[in-house]
Coordinates of all heavy atoms in Angstrom, one line a residue:
M1 N 14.1 -12.0 0.1 CA 14.1 -10.6 0.7 C 13.0 -10.5 1.7 O 11.9 -10.8 1.4 CB 14.0 -9.6 -0.5 CG 14.1 -8.2 0.0 SD 13.7 -7.0 -1.3 CE 14.5 -7.7 -2.7
A2 N 13.3 -10.0 2.9 CA 12.3 -9.8 3.9 C 11.7 -8.4 3.8 O 12.4 -7.4 3.7 CB 13.0 -10.0 5.3
V3 N 10.4 -8.4 3.8 CA 9.7 -7.1 3.7 C 8.7 -7.0 4.9 O 8.0 -8.0 5.1 CB 8.9 -7.0 2.4 CG1 8.1 -5.7 2.4 CG2 9.9 -7.0 1.2
P4 N 8.7 -5.9 5.6 CA 7.7 -5.8 6.7 C 6.3 -5.9 6.2 O 5.9 -5.2 5.2 CB 7.9 -4.4 7.3 CG 9.3 -4.0 6.8 CD 9.5 -4.7 5.5
P5 N 5.4 -6.8 6.7 CA 4.1 -7.1 6.1 C 3.1 -6.1 6.6 O 1.9 -6.1 6.2 CB 3.8 -8.5 6.6 CG 4.5 -8.6 7.9 CD 5.8 -7.8 7.8
H6 N 3.4 -5.2 7.6 CA 2.4 -4.4 8.2 C 1.8 -3.4 7.1 O 2.5 -2.9 6.3 CB 3.0 -3.6 9.3 CG 4.2 -2.7 8.9 ND1 5.5 -3.2 8.9 CD2 4.3 -1.4 8.5 CE1 6.3 -2.2 8.6 NE2 5.6 -1.2 8.3
H7 N 0.5 -3.2 7.2 CA -0.3 -2.3 6.4 C -0.4 -2.7 4.9 O -1.1 -2.1 4.2 CB 0.4 -0.9 6.4 CG 0.3 -0.1 7.7 ND1 -0.9 -0.1 8.4 CD2 1.2 0.6 8.3 CE1 -0.7 0.6 9.5 NE2 0.5 1.0 9.5
T8 N 0.2 -3.8 4.5 CA 0.2 -4.2 3.1 C -1.2 -4.5 2.7 O -1.6 -4.4 1.5 CB 1.1 -5.4 2.8 OG1 0.8 -6.5 3.7 CG2 2.5 -5.0 2.9
S9 N -2.1 -5.0 3.6 CA -3.5 -5.3 3.2 C -4.4 -4.1 3.4 O -5.6 -4.2 3.1 CB -3.9 -6.5 4.0 OG -4.0 -6.2 5.4
Q10 N -3.9 -3.0 3.9 CA -4.8 -1.8 4.1 C -4.3 -0.6 3.3 O -4.9 0.4 3.4 CB -4.7 -1.5 5.6 CG -5.3 -2.6 6.5 CD -5.1 -2.2 8.0 OE1 -4.7 -1.1 8.3 NE2 -5.4 -3.2 8.8
T11 N -3.2 -0.8 2.5 CA -2.7 0.3 1.8 C -3.1 0.3 0.3 O -3.0 -0.8 -0.3 CB -1.1 0.2 1.8 OG1 -0.7 0.2 3.2 CG2 -0.5 1.4 1.1
C12 N -3.6 1.4 -0.2 CA -4.0 1.5 -1.6 C -2.7 1.4 -2.5 O -1.8 2.1 -2.3 CB -4.7 2.8 -1.9 SG -5.2 3.0 -3.6
P13 N -2.7 0.4 -3.4 CA -1.6 0.3 -4.3 C -1.5 1.3 -5.4 O -0.5 1.3 -6.2 CB -1.7 -1.2 -4.8 CG -3.2 -1.4 -4.8 CD -3.8 -0.6 -3.7
N14 N -2.5 2.1 -5.6 CA -2.5 3.1 -6.6 C -1.4 4.1 -6.3 O -1.4 4.8 -5.2 CB -3.9 3.9 -6.6 CG -3.9 5.0 -7.6 OD1 -2.9 5.3 -8.3 ND2 -5.1 5.5 -7.7
P15 N -0.4 4.2 -7.2 CA 0.8 5.1 -6.9 C 0.4 6.5 -6.7 O 1.1 7.3 -6.0 CB 1.6 5.0 -8.2 CG 1.2 3.7 -8.8 CD -0.3 3.6 -8.5
A16 N -0.7 7.0 -7.2 CA -1.1 8.4 -7.0 C -1.9 8.5 -5.7 O -2.3 9.7 -5.4 CB -2.0 8.8 -8.2
C17 N -2.1 7.4 -5.0 CA -3.0 7.5 -3.8 C -2.2 7.1 -2.6 O -1.7 7.9 -1.8 CB -4.3 6.7 -4.0 SG -5.4 6.7 -2.7
G18 N -2.1 5.7 -2.4 CA -1.4 5.2 -1.3 C -2.1 5.4 0.1 O -1.5 5.3 1.1
H19 N -3.4 5.6 0.0 CA -4.2 5.8 1.2 C -4.2 4.5 2.1 O -4.3 3.4 1.6 CB -5.6 6.1 0.8 CG -6.5 6.5 2.0 ND1 -6.3 7.6 2.7 CD2 -7.6 5.9 2.6 CE1 -7.2 7.7 3.7 NE2 -8.0 6.6 3.6
I20 N -3.9 4.7 3.4 CA -3.9 3.6 4.3 C -5.1 3.7 5.3 O -5.2 4.7 6.0 CB -2.6 3.6 5.1 CG1 -1.4 3.4 4.2 CG2 -2.6 2.4 6.1 CD1 -0.1 3.7 4.9
S21 N -6.0 2.7 5.2 CA -7.1 2.8 6.1 C -7.7 1.4 6.3 O -7.7 0.6 5.4 CB -8.2 3.7 5.6 OG -9.3 3.6 6.4
K22 N -8.1 1.1 7.5 CA -8.8 -0.2 7.8 C -10.1 -0.2 6.9 O -10.6 -1.3 6.6 CB -9.2 -0.3 9.2 CG -8.0 -0.6 10.1 CD -8.4 -0.8 11.6 CE -7.1 -1.0 12.4 NZ -7.5 -1.0 13.9
L23 N -10.7 1.0 6.6 CA -11.9 1.0 5.9 C -11.7 0.6 4.4 O -12.7 0.3 3.7 CB -12.4 2.5 5.9 CG -12.8 3.0 7.3 CD1 -13.3 4.4 7.2 CD2 -13.9 2.1 7.9
N24 N -10.5 0.5 4.0 CA -10.2 0.0 2.6 C -10.5 -1.5 2.5 O -10.7 -2.0 1.5 CB -8.7 0.2 2.3 CG -8.4 1.7 2.0 OD1 -9.3 2.5 1.9 ND2 -7.1 2.0 2.0
R25 N -10.6 -2.1 3.7 CA -10.9 -3.6 3.7 C -12.2 -3.8 4.4 O -12.3 -4.1 5.6 CB -9.8 -4.3 4.5 CG -8.5 -4.4 3.8 CD -8.6 -5.4 2.6 NE -9.0 -6.7 3.0 CZ -8.1 -7.6 3.5 NH1 -6.9 -7.3 3.7 NH2 -8.5 -8.8 3.9
Q26 N -13.3 -3.5 3.7 CA -14.6 -3.7 4.3 C -15.0 -5.2 4.3 O -15.8 -5.6 5.1 CB -15.7 -2.9 3.5 CG -15.4 -1.4 3.6 CD -16.5 -0.6 3.0 OE1 -17.6 -1.0 2.8 NE2 -16.2 0.7 2.7
T27 N -14.4 -6.0 3.5 CA -14.6 -7.4 3.6 C -13.2 -8.1 3.5 O -12.2 -7.4 3.1 CB -15.4 -8.0 2.4 OG1 -14.7 -7.9 1.2 CG2 -16.7 -7.3 2.2
Q28 N -13.1 -9.3 4.0 CA -11.8 -10.0 4.0 C -11.3 -10.2 2.6 O -10.1 -10.2 2.4 CB -12.0 -11.4 4.7 CG -10.7 -12.1 5.0 CD -9.9 -11.3 6.1 OE1 -10.5 -10.6 6.9 NE2 -8.6 -11.4 6.0
A29 N -12.2 -10.4 1.6 CA -11.7 -10.8 0.3 C -11.4 -9.6 -0.6 O -10.6 -9.7 -1.6 CB -12.7 -11.7 -0.3
L30 N -12.1 -8.5 -0.4 CA -12.1 -7.4 -1.4 C -11.4 -6.2 -0.8 O -11.8 -5.8 0.4 CB -13.5 -7.1 -1.9 CG -13.5 -6.0 -2.9 CD1 -12.9 -6.4 -4.2 CD2 -15.0 -5.5 -3.1
F31 N -10.5 -5.6 -1.5 CA -10.0 -4.3 -1.2 C -10.7 -3.2 -2.0 O -10.8 -3.3 -3.2 CB -8.5 -4.3 -1.5 CG -7.8 -2.9 -1.2 CD1 -7.1 -2.7 0.0 CD2 -7.9 -1.9 -2.1 CE1 -6.5 -1.5 0.2 CE2 -7.3 -0.7 -1.9 CZ -6.6 -0.5 -0.7
K32 N -11.2 -2.2 -1.3 CA -11.7 -1.0 -2.1 C -11.2 0.2 -1.4 O -11.6 0.5 -0.2 CB -13.2 -1.1 -2.2 CG -13.8 0.1 -2.9 CD -15.2 0.0 -3.2 CE -15.7 1.2 -4.1 NZ -17.1 1.1 -4.4
C33 N -10.5 1.0 -2.1 CA -9.9 2.3 -1.5 C -11.0 3.3 -1.3 O -11.8 3.6 -2.2 CB -8.8 2.8 -2.4 SG -8.1 4.3 -1.7
V34 N -11.1 3.8 0.0 CA -12.2 4.8 0.3 C -11.8 6.1 -0.3 O -12.6 7.1 -0.3 CB -12.4 4.9 1.8 CG1 -13.0 3.6 2.3 CG2 -11.2 5.2 2.6
E35 N -10.5 6.3 -0.7 CA -10.0 7.6 -1.1 C -10.2 7.7 -2.6 O -10.7 8.7 -3.1 CB -8.5 7.7 -0.7 CG -8.0 9.1 -0.8 CD -8.5 10.1 0.2 OE1 -9.0 9.6 1.2 OE2 -8.4 11.3 0.0
C36 N -9.7 6.7 -3.4 CA -9.7 6.9 -4.9 C -10.6 5.9 -5.6 O -10.8 6.0 -6.8 CB -8.2 6.8 -5.4 SG -7.6 5.1 -5.3
G37 N -11.1 4.9 -4.8 CA -12.0 4.0 -5.4 C -11.4 2.8 -6.0 O -12.1 2.0 -6.7
Y38 N -10.1 2.7 -5.9 CA -9.4 1.5 -6.5 C -9.9 0.2 -5.9 O -10.1 0.1 -4.7 CB -7.9 1.6 -6.2 CG -7.1 0.5 -6.6 CD1 -6.4 0.5 -7.8 CD2 -6.9 -0.7 -5.8 CE1 -5.6 -0.6 -8.3 CE2 -6.2 -1.8 -6.3 CZ -5.5 -1.7 -7.5 OH -4.8 -2.8 -7.9
E39 N -10.2 -0.8 -6.8 CA -10.7 -2.0 -6.3 C -9.9 -3.2 -6.8 O -9.4 -3.2 -8.0 CB -12.2 -2.3 -6.8 CG -13.2 -1.7 -6.0 CD -14.6 -2.1 -6.4 OE1 -14.8 -3.3 -6.6 OE2 -15.4 -1.2 -6.7
N40 N -9.6 -4.2 -5.9 CA -9.0 -5.4 -6.4 C -9.2 -6.4 -5.3 O -9.6 -6.1 -4.2 CB -7.5 -5.1 -6.6 CG -6.9 -6.0 -7.7 OD1 -7.4 -7.1 -7.9 ND2 -5.9 -5.5 -8.4
H41 N -8.8 -7.7 -5.6 CA -8.8 -8.7 -4.5 C -7.8 -8.3 -3.5 O -6.7 -7.9 -3.8 CB -8.5 -10.1 -5.1 CG -9.6 -10.6 -6.0 ND1 -10.8 -11.0 -5.4 CD2 -9.7 -10.8 -7.3 CE1 -11.5 -11.5 -6.4 NE2 -10.9 -11.3 -7.6
A42 N -8.1 -8.6 -2.2 CA -7.3 -8.2 -1.1 C -5.9 -8.9 -1.2 O -4.9 -8.3 -0.9 CB -8.0 -8.6 0.2
D43 N -5.9 -10.1 -1.6 CA -4.7 -10.9 -1.8 C -3.8 -10.2 -2.8 O -2.6 -10.1 -2.7 CB -4.9 -12.3 -2.1 CG -5.5 -13.1 -1.0 OD1 -5.5 -12.6 0.2 OD2 -6.0 -14.2 -1.2
T44 N -4.4 -9.8 -3.9 CA -3.6 -9.1 -5.0 C -3.0 -7.8 -4.5 O -1.9 -7.5 -4.8 CB -4.6 -8.9 -6.2 OG1 -5.1 -10.1 -6.6 CG2 -3.8 -8.3 -7.3
V45 N -3.8 -7.1 -3.8 CA -3.4 -5.8 -3.2 C -2.2 -6.0 -2.3 O -1.2 -5.3 -2.3 CB -4.5 -5.0 -2.5 CG1 -4.0 -3.8 -1.7 CG2 -5.5 -4.6 -3.5
G46 N -2.3 -7.0 -1.4 CA -1.2 -7.3 -0.5 C 0.0 -7.7 -1.2 O 1.1 -7.2 -0.9
A47 N -0.1 -8.5 -2.3 CA 1.0 -8.9 -3.1 C 1.7 -7.7 -3.8 O 2.9 -7.6 -3.8 CB 0.6 -9.9 -4.1
I48 N 0.8 -6.8 -4.3 CA 1.4 -5.6 -5.0 C 2.2 -4.8 -4.0 O 3.3 -4.3 -4.3 CB 0.2 -4.8 -5.6 CG1 -0.4 -5.5 -6.8 CG2 0.7 -3.4 -6.1 CD1 -1.7 -4.9 -7.3
N49 N 1.6 -4.6 -2.8 CA 2.2 -3.7 -1.8 C 3.5 -4.3 -1.3 O 4.5 -3.6 -1.1 CB 1.3 -3.5 -0.7 CG 0.2 -2.4 -1.1 OD1 0.5 -1.5 -1.8 ND2 -1.0 -2.6 -0.5
I50 N 3.5 -5.6 -1.1 CA 4.8 -6.3 -0.7 C 5.8 -6.2 -1.8 O 7.0 -5.9 -1.5 CB 4.5 -7.8 -0.4 CG1 3.7 -7.9 0.9 CG2 5.8 -8.6 -0.2 CD1 3.1 -9.3 1.2
L51 N 5.4 -6.4 -3.0 CA 6.3 -6.2 -4.1 C 6.9 -4.8 -4.2 O 8.1 -4.6 -4.3 CB 5.6 -6.6 -5.4 CG 6.4 -6.9 -6.7 CD1 7.2 -8.1 -6.4 CD2 5.5 -7.0 -7.9
R52 N 6.0 -3.8 -4.1 CA 6.5 -2.4 -4.1 C 7.4 -2.1 -3.0 O 8.4 -1.4 -3.1 CB 5.3 -1.5 -4.2 CG 4.5 -1.5 -5.5 CD 3.4 -0.5 -5.5 NE 3.9 0.8 -5.2 CZ 3.1 1.8 -4.7 NH1 1.9 1.6 -4.4 NH2 3.6 3.0 -4.5
A53 N 7.0 -2.6 -1.8 CA 7.9 -2.4 -0.6 C 9.3 -3.0 -0.8 O 10.3 -2.4 -0.5 CB 7.2 -2.9 0.6
G54 N 9.2 -4.2 -1.5 CA 10.5 -4.9 -1.8 C 11.3 -4.1 -2.7 O 12.5 -3.9 -2.5
Y55 N 10.7 -3.5 -3.8 CA 11.4 -2.7 -4.8 C 11.9 -1.4 -4.1 O 13.0 -1.0 -4.4 CB 10.5 -2.4 -6.0 CG 10.4 -3.5 -7.0 CD1 9.2 -3.9 -7.4 CD2 11.6 -4.1 -7.5 CE1 9.1 -5.0 -8.4 CE2 11.5 -5.1 -8.4 CZ 10.3 -5.5 -8.9 OH 10.2 -6.5 -9.8
A56 N 11.1 -0.9 -3.2 CA 11.5 0.4 -2.6 C 12.8 0.1 -1.7 O 13.7 0.9 -1.7 CB 10.4 0.9 -1.7
R57 N 12.8 -1.0 -1.0 CA 13.9 -1.3 -0.2 C 15.2 -1.6 -1.1 O 16.2 -1.1 -0.8 CB 13.7 -2.6 0.6 CG 12.9 -2.3 1.9 CD 12.5 -3.6 2.5 NE 13.5 -4.3 3.3 CZ 13.8 -4.1 4.6 NH1 13.0 -3.2 5.2 NH2 14.7 -4.7 5.2
L58 N 14.9 -2.2 -2.2 CA 16.0 -2.5 -3.1 C 16.6 -1.2 -3.7 O 17.8 -1.0 -3.7 CB 15.5 -3.4 -4.3 CG 16.5 -4.1 -5.1 CD1 17.3 -5.1 -4.3 CD2 15.9 -4.8 -6.3
A59 N 15.7 -0.3 -4.1 CA 16.1 1.0 -4.6 C 16.9 1.8 -3.5 O 17.9 2.4 -3.9 CB 14.9 1.8 -5.0
C60 N 16.4 1.7 -2.3 CA 17.2 2.3 -1.2 C 18.6 1.8 -1.1 O 19.5 2.6 -1.0 CB 16.4 2.1 0.1 SG 14.9 3.0 0.3
E61 N 18.7 0.5 -1.2 CA 20.0 -0.1 -1.0 C 20.9 0.2 -2.2 O 22.1 0.4 -2.0 CB 19.8 -1.7 -0.9 CG 19.2 -2.1 0.4 CD 18.8 -3.5 0.4 OE1 19.2 -4.3 -0.5 OE2 18.1 -3.9 1.4
V62 N 20.3 0.3 -3.4 CA 21.1 0.6 -4.6 C 21.5 2.1 -4.6 O 22.7 2.4 -4.8 CB 20.3 0.3 -5.8 CG1 21.0 0.9 -7.1 CG2 20.1 -1.2 -6.0
S63 N 20.6 3.0 -4.3 CA 20.9 4.4 -4.4 C 21.5 4.9 -3.1 O 22.1 6.0 -3.1 CB 19.6 5.2 -4.7 OG 18.7 5.1 -3.6
G64 N 21.3 4.2 -2.0 CA 21.7 4.7 -0.7 C 20.9 5.8 -0.1 O 21.1 6.3 0.9
A65 N 19.8 6.1 -0.8 CA 18.9 7.1 -0.3 C 18.0 6.6 0.8 O 17.7 5.4 0.9 CB 17.9 7.6 -1.4
A66 N 17.6 7.5 1.7 CA 16.9 7.0 2.9 C 15.4 7.3 2.7 O 14.8 8.1 3.4 CB 17.4 7.8 4.2
M67 N 14.9 6.7 1.7 CA 13.4 6.9 1.4 C 12.6 5.9 2.2 O 12.8 4.7 2.1 CB 13.2 6.6 -0.1 CG 13.6 7.7 -1.0 SD 12.4 9.1 -1.1 CE 11.2 8.3 -2.1
P68 N 11.7 6.4 3.0 CA 10.9 5.5 3.8 C 9.8 4.9 2.8 O 9.5 5.5 1.8 CB 10.2 6.4 4.8 CG 10.2 7.8 4.1 CD 11.4 7.8 3.3
P69 N 9.4 3.6 3.2 CA 8.4 3.0 2.4 C 7.0 3.8 2.5 O 6.8 4.5 3.5 CB 8.3 1.6 2.9 CG 8.8 1.7 4.3 CD 9.8 2.8 4.3
A70 N 6.1 3.5 1.6 CA 4.9 4.3 1.6 C 4.1 3.9 2.8 O 3.3 4.8 3.3 CB 4.1 3.9 0.3
A71 N 4.2 2.7 3.3 CA 3.4 2.3 4.4 C 3.7 3.1 5.6 O 4.9 3.4 5.9 CB 3.7 0.8 4.7
G72 N 2.7 3.6 6.3 CA 2.9 4.4 7.5 C 2.8 5.9 7.3 O 2.7 6.6 8.3
T73 N 2.7 6.3 6.1 CA 2.5 7.7 5.8 C 1.0 8.0 5.5 O 0.2 7.1 5.2 CB 3.4 8.1 4.6 OG1 3.0 7.4 3.4 CG2 4.8 7.9 4.9
H74 N 0.7 9.3 5.4 CA -0.6 9.7 5.0 C -0.5 10.6 3.8 O -1.0 11.7 3.9 CB -1.3 10.3 6.2 CG -1.6 9.4 7.3 ND1 -2.7 8.5 7.4 CD2 -0.9 9.1 8.4 CE1 -2.6 7.8 8.4 NE2 -1.5 8.1 9.1
R75 N 0.0 10.1 2.7 CA 0.3 10.9 1.6 C -1.0 11.4 1.0 O -1.0 12.5 0.3 CB 1.0 10.1 0.5 CG 2.5 10.5 0.5 CD 3.2 9.8 -0.7 NE 3.0 8.4 -0.6 CZ 3.4 7.6 -1.6 NH1 3.9 8.1 -2.7 NH2 3.2 6.3 -1.6
S76 N -2.1 10.7 1.2 CA -3.4 11.1 0.5 C -3.8 12.5 1.0 O -4.4 13.3 0.2 CB -4.5 10.1 0.8 OG -4.6 10.0 2.2
E77 N -3.4 12.9 2.2 CA -3.8 14.2 2.7 C -3.0 15.3 1.9 O -3.5 16.4 1.8 CB -3.4 14.3 4.2 CG -4.3 13.4 5.0 CD -3.9 13.3 6.4 OE1 -3.0 14.1 6.8 OE2 -4.4 12.4 7.2
L78 N -1.8 14.9 1.4 CA -1.0 15.9 0.7 C -1.4 15.9 -0.8 O -1.4 16.9 -1.5 CB 0.5 15.6 0.8 CG 1.0 15.6 2.3 CD1 2.4 15.1 2.3 CD2 0.9 17.0 2.8
A79 N -1.7 14.7 -1.3 CA -1.9 14.5 -2.8 C -3.4 14.9 -3.2 O -3.6 15.1 -4.4 CB -1.7 13.1 -3.2
A80 N -4.3 15.1 -2.2 CA -5.6 15.4 -2.6 C -5.7 16.7 -3.3 O -6.4 16.8 -4.3 CB -6.5 15.4 -1.3
Ligands
ZN101 ZN1 -6.5 4.8 -3.3

């Protein structure tokens, strides 16, 4: 399954957050969300986000709903 890789390394994988910022990646190896404080290895975060994007696409195809992926939105401004 092809998933767009953009933002996957800058997006907070916390479902309640989803903050997207370059500042979340202060080092190459570590992801730390500036919004909620979520911390994990950058590679792990990328994998989680790719997985979630893949499931979101799958859910879209199954349900037929036109739900955009979390990447590219600024949900944190709404969820704060
Ligand atoms: Zn976060």
Side-chain angles (χ1 to χ4, degrees):
M1 185 186 318
V3 174
H6 57 274
H7 290 317
T8 52
S9 63
Q10 298 174 8
T11 303
C12 179
N14 180 353
C17 180
H19 186 67
I20 299 169
S21 175
K22 288 179 183 175
L23 297 177
N24 289 347
R25 287 290 300 282
Q26 293 187 22
T27 70
Q28 190 67 27
L30 182 69
F31 177 99
K32 181 171 183 179
C33 180
V34 295
E35 192 74 17
C36 73
Y38 177 96
E39 273 188 53
N40 213 329
H41 288 290
D43 288 346
T44 304
V45 169
I48 291 170
N49 284 326
I50 288 169
L51 197 65
R52 286 182 59 203
Y55 279 130
R57 277 169 80 92
L58 196 64
C60 287
E61 289 168 12
V62 169
S63 69
M67 285 276 289
T73 62
H74 293 278
R75 259 190 301 174
S76 58
E77 293 172 11
L78 301 172

